[in-house]
Amino acid sequence: MARVLQVRDVAVGYGAEPLLEELSFDVQRGEVFAILGGSGSGKSTLLRTLIGLQEPLHGRVHFTGIGPPAKAMEPPRFGVLFQSSALFGSSTLLQNVLLPLQKWTDLPPDAAAAVAMARLRLVGLDRYAHHLPAEVSGGMKKRAGIARALALDPPLLFLDEPSAGLDPITAAELDELIVALAQKLGVTIVLVTHELPSLMRVADQCILLDRSARGIVARGAPHDLAERSVDLRVQAFFRRQTLAAVQRRMP
């Protein structure tokens, strides 16, 4: 399997003191790769570093086959769904998806609209193309954000807490969409999450970040880590317990 993303000895943070350090992992083409961790563990900071919104304190982030994160005046080389979806409230869902096509391609208006509508159809929102973000549900906003992230047909997609704030049924539907995108389109997906049900449904591989360790404390398939890891920090995360509670259960 070809490697899409290689992270080597990366440190991230603000100022001179790293929040996380010595981060090394690979993301393979076509897989769903999850970045896990509790609140304050550095998940979002790492994501910002991977997509080029901030520089690593040291180390290297290397993309294979798609080039580095684009500069301000270059078309993006991957798609990003931000946690809030970041849709423009005064624009319809169709207009939101059209934006990257209008900015970065020379497609005629009719062709661009057809591509944008196809992306909305892909995420099940073509019937709501002319609705404003305020007129649709939270889950639909997430889907519209994914449609916009897919507008330029990127090989790699970053999702920041895609299930955050959604009810269990809507979250499960979004999980099914993520799996379908990976399988049908062959797009590689890197997602940040702390939602265990979603993680177990969608992720092929994952890393677990720990704030006190300032780095990665586990890596592998989620089900393997949940069932077999002897690391108390990993057990605490997958059991949704405090470290102290896990320690009390030890013989």
Side-chain angles (χ1 to χ4, degrees):
M1 189 178 293
R3 184 171 55 210
V4 175
L5 173 62
Q6 182 185 65
V7 177
R8 288 293 179 270
D9 195 30
V10 162
V12 302
Y14 305 93
E17 185 69 18
L19 178 62
L20 299 167
E21 54 189 346
E22 297 181 5
L23 303 177
S24 294
F25 59 90
D26 294 335
V27 178
Q28 306 299 326
R29 189 176 307 278
E31 75 179 2
V32 179
F33 185 94
I35 299 171
L36 313 176
S39 298
S41 62
K43 303 187 300 296
S44 294
T45 303
L46 174 56
L47 179 65
R48 289 176 57 84
T49 303
L50 295 180
I51 64 178
L53 292 181
Q54 66 185 69
E55 293 291 327
L57 299 181
H58 64 73
R60 186 171 73 110
V61 176
H62 177 70
F63 294 88
T64 302
I66 63 172
K71 305 296 183 182
M73 300 306 295
E74 297 175 345
R77 296 182 174 92
F78 41 72
V80 180
L81 170 69
F82 295 97
Q83 186 174 153
S84 63
S85 299
L87 300 175
F88 291 96
S90 60
S91 300
T92 66
L93 301 189
L94 180 62
Q95 290 168 336
N96 269 278
V97 180
L98 266 171
L99 284 172
L101 294 163
Q102 293 170 332
K103 182 173 179 61
W104 300 115
T105 76
D106 296 322
L107 288 173
D110 288 350
V115 172
M117 186 62 78
R119 297 296 181 266
L120 286 172
R121 188 176 300 111
L122 184 66
V123 301
L125 289 180
D126 47 312
R127 293 172 52 198
Y128 300 90
H130 301 293
H131 285 61
L132 295 172
E135 297 172 334
V136 299
S137 68
M140 295 165 80
K141 291 177 186 176
K142 299 272 190 179
R143 287 173 176 264
I146 291 175
R148 186 175 62 185
L150 290 170
L152 299 177
D153 197 24
L156 177 61
L157 192 62
F158 289 93
L159 309 178
D160 187 8
E161 298 281 7
S163 299
L166 301 181
D167 65 82
I169 294 176
T170 303
E173 291 172 345
L174 190 63
D175 294 340
E176 292 176 2
L177 173 62
I178 292 170
V179 172
L181 292 175
Q183 293 177 345
K184 294 179 181 179
L185 301 183
V187 63
T188 304
I189 297 175
V190 177
L191 64 91
V192 167
T193 187
H194 65 273
E195 302 284 347
L196 289 181
S198 292
L199 167 71
M200 294 302 189
R201 281 191 289 259
V202 307
D204 300 306
Q205 295 290 314
C206 67
I207 56 172
L208 176 61
L209 306 177
D210 183 81
R211 183 175 184 176
S212 61
R214 297 203 299 185
I216 298 171
V217 294
R219 68 188 73 213
H223 288 279
D224 288 344
L225 294 181
E227 295 171 4
R228 301 174 187 174
S229 178
V230 297
D231 189 308
L232 298 186
R233 297 165 297 188
V234 180
Q235 292 182 24
F237 181 85
F238 281 96
R239 293 178 182 178
R240 297 181 178 179
Q241 296 179 339
T242 65
L243 183 58
V246 173
Q247 291 171 330
R248 287 195 296 269
R249 292 169 58 95
M250 296 298 294

